[in-house]
Amino acid sequence: MISQTDLFTHYTFIPSALATLGESAEQIIPDATVHLIRLYVSKINGCQYCQSMHAEALKNGVTRDVFDQMHRALTGSELSLLSPFDQAALQLAGAVTKSLPFEMEAKSQRPLTQVQQLAVIGLALQINNWNRIAIGFNF
């Protein structure tokens, strides 16, 4: 049986490579949105481990009311409860996760600059890979 330790022993660069994907994005996207993206993608992928981790990080980074509203938006698939910025970020992250074209409708793209769109793509790529590792190794 292959373990996470085996993977990271033979491919020592994986954790740092995945961390690098998120580092610059974390400088561009607000912290709450970073964790919202990671939580949303983890929900799409069914990664309970990452959902718990990012729900807790999100809860610690925003007020209770904001967390409750974000949680309702994600659990009820009611992204319209979120700010236009967060809606656009999650739509793009969802497209990356579901292997859909990255182009969004012009109207929904407006809240994100090109640099922010690239940051969201980097975050989505990062958390998708962590989800696969966590699910594959049964975290």
Side-chain angles (χ1 to χ4, degrees):
M1 182 80 137
I2 299 171
S3 70
Q4 175 191 353
T5 304
D6 295 331
L7 177 67
F8 294 155
T9 298
H10 287 74
Y11 296 96
T12 56
F13 61 88
I14 290 176
S16 62
L18 292 178
T20 301
L21 271 173
E23 286 171 358
S24 60
E26 291 167 355
Q27 304 302 313
I28 296 165
I29 303 293
D31 286 344
T33 305
V34 167
H35 290 296
L36 187 63
I37 290 166
R38 290 174 174 156
L39 178 57
Y40 181 66
V41 170
S42 297
K43 281 184 157 306
I44 291 171
N45 289 329
C47 183
Q48 296 299 317
Y49 178 83
C50 293
Q51 286 180 59
S52 296
M53 182 171 46
H54 292 294
E56 191 63 31
L58 183 60
K59 189 185 300 183
N60 291 332
V62 297
T63 66
R64 176 70 180 192
D65 289 342
V66 170
F67 176 79
D68 288 345
Q69 182 174 355
M70 289 177 163
H71 185 47
R72 278 194 311 276
L74 294 183
T75 56
S77 297
E78 304 240 3
L79 298 186
S80 62
L81 294 173
L82 301 171
S83 71
F85 183 88
D86 287 343
Q87 287 179 48
L90 294 187
Q91 287 172 349
L92 180 55
V96 172
T97 302
K98 297 172 186 174
S99 299
L100 300 173
F102 296 161
E103 289 186 26
M104 301 181 321
E105 294 178 24
K107 183 179 177 185
S108 64
Q109 243 178 1
R110 285 187 196 134
L112 301 175
T113 66
Q114 182 179 16
V115 170
Q116 290 167 329
Q117 289 175 37
L118 293 170
V120 169
I121 291 168
L123 285 168
L125 292 171
Q126 178 197 47
I127 193 60
N128 272 292
N129 281 284
W130 278 123
N131 288 165
R132 280 147 183 78
I133 290 168
I135 292 169
F137 289 107
N138 225 5
F139 282 20

